C-alpha cells in the first residue's frame, strides 16, 4: 500500500513537470510582433549622411548639396495620432503620412513651415522633417530608403 501510495503521489508530479517548461517557453514569441527600434539610426540613406544628434534627440542628416533631413523616433506608437493632427495637406507615401507642418517655437526661435513625414515603425513613430524645398512625396521616398536600412 505504501508503495502504491507513493506511486500514486508521484504520478501527478510527473505530468506536471513538463507543463511549467512549456508555459515558460510560450511567452517568448509574444513580444516579437512589435519589435523594439534598433538602438542606432542609420549612418546614411538616399544620399544623406548622418551628421549629429542634437540635445533634443534630433538626428541630423546632410546631403552633398547641403540639404538636411531631421529624423526623430517617438514612443509609444499612439503618438502617431497626436503628431498627424498638426500635418496639413496630408498624402500617403508608402508607409508614411506626409505633408506640411507650421513651426513657431519661442525657445529655439524656429518659425516657418516644414515638410514632414511620419510612420508607425517598431514600437513607436518615426518622424522625418526637412525644409519645404523637398515635397512630401520626395521626403516620403527618402523615408522609404531610411526604413530599408534601419534594422
Amino acid at each position: 500500500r505504501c508503495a502504491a501510495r507513493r506511486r500514486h503521489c508521484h504520478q501527478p508530479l510527473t505530468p506536471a513537470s513538463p507543463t511549467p517548461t512549456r508555459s515558460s517557453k510560450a511567452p517568448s514569441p509574444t513580444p516579437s510582433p512589435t519589435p523594439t527600434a534598433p538602438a542606432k539610426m542609420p549612418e546614411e540613406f538616399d544620399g544623406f549622411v548622418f551628421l549629429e544628434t542634437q540635445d533634443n534627440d534630433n538626428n541630423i542628416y546632410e546631403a552633398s548639396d547641403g540639404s538636411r533631413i531631421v529624423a526623430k523616433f517617438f514612443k509609444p506608437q499612439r503618438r502617431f495620432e497626436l503628431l498627424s493632427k498638426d500635418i496639413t495637406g496630408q498624402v500617403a507615401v508608402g508607409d508614411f503620412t506626409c505633408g506640411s507642418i507650421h513651426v513657431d517655437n519661442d525657445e529655439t526661435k524656429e518659425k516657418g513651415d516644414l515638410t514632414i513625414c511620419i510612420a508607425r515603425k517598431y514600437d513607436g513613430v518615426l518622424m522625418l522633417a526637412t525644409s519645404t524645398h523637398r515635397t512630401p512625396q520626395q521626403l516620403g521616398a527618402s523615408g522609404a530608403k531610411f526604413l530599408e536600412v534601419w534594422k
Side-chain angles (χ1 to χ4, degrees):
R1 276 189 173 183
C2 199
R5 239 187 251 154
R6 270 194 213 129
R7 217 177 297 129
H8 181 72
C9 291
H10 283 68
Q11 281 176 341
L13 294 176
T14 311
S17 63
T19 309
T21 312
R22 269 189 232 122
S23 65
S24 67
K25 286 181 183 174
S28 61
T30 310
S32 61
T34 310
T36 56
K40 248 179 97 124
M41 293 276 188
E43 288 297 314
E44 60 182 287
F45 67 98
D46 199 29
F48 287 83
V49 179
F50 176 76
L51 194 62
E52 66 176 332
T53 300
Q54 296 177 330
D55 293 340
N56 56 4
D57 291 331
N58 283 346
N59 296 284
I60 311 299
Y61 291 85
E62 189 173 76
S64 57
D65 66 1
S67 60
R68 291 184 172 190
I69 289 179
V70 176
K72 189 167 184 171
F73 188 66
F74 298 94
K75 288 182 180 183
Q77 254 193 26
R78 67 177 176 268
R79 293 194 60 184
F80 183 90
E81 281 69 28
L82 293 168
L83 293 166
S84 65
K85 279 195 292 191
D86 296 328
I87 299 174
T88 58
Q90 290 188 15
V91 291
V93 184
D95 293 337
F96 288 91
T97 297
C98 300
S100 297
I101 192 166
H102 185 73
V103 178
D104 192 352
N105 189 326
D106 290 334
E107 283 180 39
T108 62
K109 305 292 182 223
E110 286 180 282
K111 287 186 179 209
D113 293 320
L114 293 174
T115 299
I116 188 169
C117 290
I118 58 173
R120 288 179 184 91
K121 188 67 180 169
Y122 298 111
D123 54 343
V125 179
L126 174 66
M127 179 201 74
L128 299 177
T130 190
S131 64
T132 52
H133 73 276
R134 287 177 75 86
T135 67
Q137 290 80 0
Q138 289 171 324
L139 184 58
S142 292
K145 302 279 187 195
F146 186 101
L147 293 179
E148 284 174 20
V149 294
W150 192 34
K151 296 178 179 166

